Amino acid sequence: MANIAHPTQTLSRPLVNFGSRARTWLAAPKGDFTLILALILVGLVAQGLNMFNYPAFTLLDDEGIYAEQARSVLQGHSLTPYTYNYDHAPVGWMLISGWQLLSGGLHTFGTAIDSGRMLMLLLHLGMIPLLFGIVRKLGGNSLTAAIANLVFSLSPLAIFYQRMVLLDNLMLFFVLLSLDLLLDGWGRLSRLVMSGLMFGIALLCKETAIFILPAMIVIAMQQRWKHQGRFAVGAWVLPLMLTVSFYPLYALLKGELFPNGLSFDVRGNALLGGTEGVSLLDALLWQGTRSGGGLFNLDNQFWNLVRTDWLPRDTFLMIGGSLAVLVNLLRGIRNRQALMVGLLGLFPLVYLARGGVVFNYYILFAIPFLCLNLAIAFTPLVNLVGRRRKVAGWLALLLVPVLLAAYWLAGPLRPLYAEHPADSGRQAISWIKQNLPADSRIISRDDLWTDLREPGLGGPAFPNVHSHWKVATDKAVYDEVFQNDWHNVDYIIMSPNLDQDFATASNKLSLQAFQHSHLVKRWSADLGTESLHKHQIVELWKVDKIGTLDKDVLQGSSQYLSNNFGQTGAWAGSDGLVSSGAQANAMLRAVWTDNRAEFNRTWRWTQAHLINQNGLMAWEWQNGAILESHSDSGADTDLALALLMAAKRWNDPGLQSAGQKLVGSIWQNEVSVVFNKPYLTAGDWATRSQTLAFNPGYFAPYAYRIFMEIDPAHDWQGVIANGYQVLFDSASAPLSGGKAAGLPPDWIGLDRTSGKLVPLKLDQTDTTRYGFEAPRAYWRVALDLSWSNDQRAATFLKQAGFLRDEVNRLLQDGITRKGRVSSIYAHDGSVIQEPTSLVGTAGATGALLTLDPPSANLIYASEIIGGQSRNSQGIYWGQPQDLQTQTWGWFTTALYTGSLVDLWHNPVANSKGVNK
């Protein structure tokens, strides 16, 4: 037995000496181990620092897609939450789900994508010793192996894409692991078997690994001559094929390997959920025939990405690595090791430039092999340092990363650590979870899908969130969930220009929903230097219909008002001031919301503290005493209406008697007759001078129609007619000397002698402006139109073109519409004060519901839905203790949702929207 030669002694010499090491001082295993630990530390800092914030997890749909598919596997539902269409093999997201299971769940590190990014960091750290070993086994030395890893860890291009939850990163780890095992010089057959198995897993992570397969087979053939003879290639290929075979076997067992009727579809309709079902072969055929433009077309996807993304991010790696591939290929004429390295770098570049579809993150496939080629190309130079130049070698090793860090930190690397573009997505998730009903039906981008579907992160789960891609392609979603009708959509989570993707993907349902929706809220963050930076902007759009959220906002607002202002029956602001208008508004709200206890409490306080000897309310009360004893006709009118509707709603004759008495007092003290025409003035104080004072915002024709029924002796019809005339004339008259914008003024006077409207002098105030009083006129006239269908109301509202133009006015950047009205305008329409006010929003909403409903939907979505805040006491807007703001937030919502029912004529009527 001792005389039998080892089998390898009978073979010829290997073509490539893969197991050789450069005979330098750097070859000591102990030194390599210490160096690898240092490189891992560098990679940990470079890749891990700020990785949850940059790049934004809203940048690519892919991260969200793999997070949602991993969730589906983790929870045992299926390979995907929707129809599995074989676009990629499932092993990649199965591994992500395994990581989530081991690490404690989806939200252990923050969002679900944050959890995936932690796995990407671990994979990167695992690739560092693999790349180090590959460089050493392919003829490099420790210094060049360290340089390869420094570029691999510090390249801005590598950091940017390696942080992302992408199948490419999973695939690369197993490719490098397979290559490292294949290059192992120990000569064990088990290493080849494991290498083939790992490459099979790489293919099942992402099929693009097949483009490096030729180089791997050539290396396996080289190993055959050195160690295992003719068994080597088979020992590598057979485990690979066995591993990959599980994928078509799965499809075969499900009856989805072949297309129905063996009719192949290169357009991808079956892949996209067509009526013929899904098919693995159809999916592979579609993936293989997708075009990104020919190689020699300089406007194709590859060259565009080279110019706009890859070169700007890392010129050194792209140009230096490509040149190193060329150098190694030329060296390969005499050096088979260099040839193999060159081929490992060439095949990924050929894949990228082949003319097929190319996305920006596909560069991941080339990055480690470009680093490998750089290391091997520089090895001959580094070897010149030699054993006697040990100090110089270590200085070079230290100097290279310092110089690279200085260069990159000055430019491409800085945003990776200094910017937080992911804030927009996190803020969007938080706001949606805190403010939207959990049963909302939402069409979403994939990046937010998993976190919205899961409880946590500050709110409940949203089981009716669906990916816009699946709305376009999955019959079970667009047909069964949404019944192929945009009216069944409540909200859409958008990014700028996403509607173009809807059109490209023939996503008619999402496109129609978007076309009938308006922006609620936009979240944006520092755009930095990210490509596709538009995706760092997250938008929530509300479909134009009344839904559960609108009713929820109305109820929450009412609760907030009750909890914070009306516990004693006195509706006081933060300064303790109680106005007659606040009391009347509270009683109207109480009767409309069927809150009799609050109504009674407020009415008792009002009777005890504000009602004067004429039966009217004093204007203001504070600190136990009346500050202003004169009346406010708008408040008196609202109080009388509240009493009369409450009498009908709760069948209380006492309240009706009180309402009738108040109506009589209003006529006796607040109505003046000029030229035989009755006018309801601004209050009992406004009837005594030569110039009668009017407040257009007090004009409430819907109430006067009811007064006419209980007080037929007086000409309330004339009050309505003359009031409308004052509105029309005051809005069109050039009161301030310039051209009128068509807005009613806060105040206006009527000269008793001439019967003409004149500007009203009140202290030093410009009464001609459209400020905090006049917008109520539009709200009140809109309510009159909904109750009476008076065409004078419709005509007046249709003349609010100025407000429509303001809401739709483009800002200076020419991109964003104003989407709101300012708080105060001069009579000529020039802006006096920004930003908006809730009473201004109420007026604009009332006017635009008739004139331009889409504009009304826009301002309601952005100012009411988007402007809301919530706490344990309910829903509020702006300053929490601003009673006026909270009151008009409620009245705006109530008008929009059709909740302001004429309870005098329909005491138990159901609400119906005025904007339909």
Side-chain angles (χ1 to χ4, degrees):
M1 294 292 292
N3 296 326
I4 297 177
H6 192 278
T8 58
Q9 295 176 4
T10 65
L11 298 176
S12 59
R13 293 182 59 191
L15 296 177
V16 181
N17 185 12
F18 290 105
S20 65
R21 295 190 178 192
R23 295 182 177 278
T24 68
W25 61 273
L26 293 166
K30 184 178 179 180
D32 281 359
F33 180 76
T34 303
L35 190 55
I36 289 172
L37 289 180
L39 292 169
I40 290 175
L41 180 61
V42 171
L44 177 64
V45 174
Q47 294 282 338
L49 188 63
N50 202 43
M51 71 175 182
F52 296 147
N53 293 309
Y54 200 103
F57 67 90
T58 54
L59 183 64
L60 296 175
D61 273 333
D62 300 70
E63 286 194 278
I65 291 172
Y66 303 136
E68 66 191 49
Q69 293 179 165
R71 169 188 177 270
S72 186
V73 173
L74 179 66
Q75 297 183 352
H77 300 314
S78 61
L79 291 179
T80 73
Y82 301 103
T83 301
Y84 177 47
N85 55 25
Y86 297 95
D87 55 339
H88 293 297
V91 169
W93 62 82
M94 291 172 70
L95 291 171
I96 296 173
S97 70
W99 159 251
Q100 292 169 342
L101 179 64
L102 292 173
S103 62
L106 293 168
H107 294 148
T108 301
F109 302 97
T111 68
I113 292 177
D114 290 341
S115 174
R117 289 195 176 184
M118 180 60 72
L119 176 60
M120 298 302 108
L121 173 62
L122 295 177
L123 290 175
H124 175 80
L125 299 181
M127 285 188 277
I128 288 174
L130 294 176
L131 182 59
F132 190 97
I134 291 168
V135 172
R136 297 290 281 117
K137 293 170 185 177
L138 284 170
N141 54 46
S142 296
L143 179 56
T144 53
I147 292 173
N149 272 287
L150 287 172
V151 176
F152 186 56
S153 291
L154 294 175
S155 162
L157 186 64
I159 295 173
F160 188 87
Y161 289 114
Q162 286 175 5
R163 287 177 172 180
M164 293 184 179
V165 185
L166 297 170
L167 300 182
D168 308 67
N169 284 319
L170 289 150
M171 175 266 289
L172 277 175
F173 174 81
F174 288 102
V175 166
L176 293 182
L177 179 57
S178 174
L179 180 58
D180 184 64
L181 289 168
L182 187 59
L183 294 172
D184 201 313
W186 289 88
R188 295 180 183 174
L189 193 63
S190 61
R191 305 281 175 141
L192 289 175
V193 172
M194 285 299 299
S195 174
L197 178 63
M198 292 301 105
F199 198 84
I201 294 175
L203 281 168
L204 292 181
C205 286
K206 193 165 185 181
E207 63 281 353
T208 50
I210 199 169
F211 285 89
I212 205 73
L213 182 61
M216 300 291 287
I217 291 177
V218 171
I219 294 173
M221 292 175 65
Q222 298 302 312
Q223 289 292 71
R224 164 197 172 189
W225 291 108
K226 185 176 182 184
H227 297 295
Q228 286 84 23
R230 59 181 58 89
F231 296 106
V233 177
W236 190 80
V237 172
L238 286 178
L240 186 159
M241 295 178 63
L242 180 62
T243 304
V244 173
S245 68
F246 284 102
Y247 188 36
L249 179 60
Y250 169 82
L252 180 64
L253 292 175
K254 290 195 67 179
E256 295 173 346
L257 178 60
F258 300 100
N260 288 341
L262 297 180
S263 177
F264 291 91
D265 180 11
V266 297
R267 295 170 299 173
N269 290 333
L271 173 74
L272 300 179
T275 56
E276 298 302 319
V278 296
S279 157
L280 171 58
L281 295 181
D282 254 342
L284 294 176
L285 182 61
W286 178 74
Q287 290 279 31
T289 56
R290 297 168 73 188
S291 176
L295 173 61
F296 299 104
N297 177 7
L298 296 182
D299 288 328
N300 73 356
Q301 292 179 355
F302 170 72
W303 292 114
N304 279 331
L305 288 170
V306 169
R307 290 192 302 267
T308 63
D309 193 330
W310 301 338
L311 276 177
R313 290 193 191 281
D314 196 340
T315 306
F316 170 76
L317 178 60
M318 289 301 299
I319 294 180
S322 299
L323 290 176
V325 170
L326 180 60
V327 168
N328 287 325
L329 288 173
L330 293 175
R331 289 177 58 213
I333 298 174
R334 295 185 177 181
N335 184 331
R336 294 295 180 87
Q337 266 186 324
L339 177 62
M340 292 298 100
V341 173
L343 290 176
L344 286 170
L346 177 65
F347 285 122
L349 294 178
V350 170
Y351 159 66
L352 294 173
R354 73 195 186 283
V357 65
V358 180
F359 295 115
N360 49 4
Y361 58 88
Y362 281 14
I363 191 62
L364 279 168
F365 190 31
I367 288 174
F369 300 108
L370 293 179
C371 295
L372 171 63
N373 273 269
L374 281 170
I376 300 302
F378 278 100
T379 295
L381 295 176
V382 173
N383 284 339
L384 292 177
V385 174
R387 188 183 299 271
R388 298 182 180 180
R389 305 261 183 117
K390 181 175 181 180
V391 175
W394 278 108
L395 288 176
L397 179 61
L398 295 174
L399 186 60
V400 169
V402 170
L403 292 176
L404 289 175
Y407 167 72
W408 282 321
L409 283 174
L413 269 181
R414 188 197 61 80
L416 293 166
Y417 305 109
E419 297 177 0
H420 297 79
D423 287 349
S424 57
R426 299 184 199 282
Q427 292 165 4
I429 292 171
S430 176
W431 193 93
I432 290 170
K433 280 183 170 282
Q434 292 175 15
N435 292 282
L436 297 190
D439 61 352
S440 298
R441 289 165 294 187
I442 303 173
I443 295 176
S444 175
R445 296 163 25 159
D446 289 277
D447 39 49
L448 275 64
W449 189 98
T450 303
D451 295 311
L452 292 178
R453 278 288 185 111
E454 284 290 307
L457 299 181
F462 285 72
N464 297 319
V465 172
H466 292 281
S467 163
H468 69 89
W469 292 113
K470 299 305 177 180
V471 172
T473 63
D474 197 328
K475 183 178 177 65
V477 178
Y478 67 74
D479 205 8
E480 297 177 18
V481 175
F482 293 107
Q483 289 81 52
N484 209 16
D485 184 352
W486 66 265
H487 291 89
N488 294 319
V489 182
D490 295 321
Y491 303 93
I492 311 175
I493 299 174
M494 297 284 294
S495 56
N497 302 324
L498 185 59
D499 54 315
Q500 296 177 9
D501 289 343
F502 294 165
T504 302
S506 298
N507 191 347
K508 295 180 181 179
L509 177 61
S510 295
L511 188 59
Q512 288 175 338
F514 176 69
Q515 291 170 342
H516 292 86
S517 64
H518 286 88
L519 179 66
V520 171
K521 206 168 184 66
R522 175 184 287 114
W523 297 271
S524 61
D526 185 358
L527 297 184
T529 57
E530 290 190 15
S531 61
L532 302 177
H533 61 266
K534 65 185 180 183
H535 291 285
Q536 297 168 84
I537 298 175
V538 180
E539 298 174 344
L540 178 68
W541 291 65
K542 180 182 184 295
V543 176
D544 298 337
K545 64 176 186 177
I546 297 171
T548 56
L549 175 61
D550 306 289
K551 300 293 186 180
D552 178 62
V553 169
L554 192 64
Q555 181 180 2
S557 170
S558 184
Q559 290 174 347
Y560 187 88
L561 282 160
S562 299
N563 291 334
N564 287 273
F565 299 102
Q567 295 298 312
T568 65
W571 294 77
S574 57
D575 57 358
L577 181 69
V578 178
S579 70
S580 58
Q583 295 300 107
N585 288 334
M587 292 176 66
L588 277 174
R589 187 175 56 254
V591 69
W592 269 318
T593 58
D594 199 18
N595 189 342
R596 186 165 189 180
E598 186 167 272
F599 183 94
N600 291 340
R601 184 167 58 248
T602 305
W603 176 225
R604 284 196 300 268
W605 191 96
T606 302
Q607 287 178 296
H609 297 88
L610 292 185
I611 301 297
N612 60 26
Q613 67 272 16
N614 294 324
L616 304 174
M617 288 189 292
W619 199 338
E620 292 178 334
W621 179 98
Q622 190 177 39
N623 297 328
I626 290 176
L627 292 183
E628 177 55 69
S629 60
H630 290 301
S631 67
D632 169 343
S633 65
D636 291 332
T637 298
D638 290 340
L639 177 60
L641 177 64
L643 290 167
L644 293 172
M645 291 198 302
K648 281 294 183 73
R649 175 156 220 171
W650 298 316
N651 192 24
D652 189 330
L655 293 178
Q656 181 164 332
S657 176
Q660 287 177 304
K661 182 178 179 181
L662 181 54
V663 169
S665 296
I666 292 172
W667 185 272
Q668 293 297 325
N669 296 281
E670 297 176 335
V671 174
S672 289
V673 179
V674 178
F675 295 116
N676 296 318
K677 295 180 179 180
Y679 294 89
L680 184 60
T681 65
D684 58 4
W685 57 275
T687 61
R688 301 172 184 175
S689 62
Q690 176 62 29
T691 301
L692 299 179
F694 296 101
N695 185 317
Y698 292 174
F699 179 58
Y702 50 89
Y704 310 150
R705 301 180 197 280
I706 296 174
F707 296 174
M708 186 166 48
E709 295 181 28
I710 64 167
D711 185 24
H714 294 115
D715 186 13
W716 289 101
Q717 192 67 258
V719 170
I720 295 173
N722 297 323
Y724 267 116
Q725 194 62 51
V726 169
L727 276 185
F728 283 110
D729 292 345
S730 64
S732 59
L735 300 176
S736 57
K739 185 178 180 180
L743 299 171
D746 281 346
W747 299 88
I748 191 69
L750 179 71
D751 187 270
R752 287 179 182 270
T753 302
S754 64
K756 294 182 179 180
L757 295 178
V758 294
L760 187 68
K761 295 181 179 180
L762 291 177
D763 300 325
Q764 301 300 316
T765 304
D766 176 10
T767 59
T768 67
R769 68 186 187 176
Y770 178 88
F772 297 105
E773 299 287 340
R776 309 176 199 212
Y778 288 115
W779 184 91
R780 292 182 183 275
V781 170
L783 186 57
D784 186 45
L785 178 63
S786 71
W787 284 14
S788 70
N789 199 31
D790 191 319
Q791 290 308 297
R792 290 170 296 186
T795 300
F796 178 70
L797 296 173
K798 289 177 180 177
Q799 293 179 359
F802 176 84
L803 297 179
R804 175 197 59 205
D805 295 341
E806 275 292 277
V807 170
N808 291 281
R809 180 168 61 89
L810 296 178
L811 299 183
Q812 292 181 356
D813 59 10
I815 298 175
T816 306
R817 288 186 294 179
K818 186 173 181 180
R820 57 178 175 79
V821 293
S822 301
S823 57
I824 302 177
Y825 293 95
H827 197 61
D828 63 2
S830 57
V831 176
I832 295 178
Q833 181 175 310
E834 294 279 13
T836 190
S837 67
L838 258 293
V839 69
T841 297
T845 302
L848 297 177
L849 280 171
T850 297
L851 173 62
D852 186 15
S855 295
N857 292 329
L858 186 157
I859 194 172
Y860 174 81
S862 61
E863 298 300 316
I864 298 300
I865 302 301
Q868 64 170 305
S869 298
R870 298 186 181 225
N871 61 23
S872 59
Q873 296 179 316
I875 293 174
Y876 64 93
W877 294 267
Q879 293 296 324
Q881 295 306 311
D882 188 337
L883 174 59
Q884 173 99 332
T885 294
Q886 310 319 322
T887 297
W888 282 102
W890 187 90
F891 277 118
T892 305
T893 308
L895 181 69
Y896 182 87
T897 57
S899 301
L900 304 180
V901 180
D902 177 2
L903 295 174
W904 173 258
H905 296 107
N906 304 282
V908 292
N910 292 324
S911 299
K912 58 182 179 180
V914 298
N915 61 329
K916 291 186 178 180

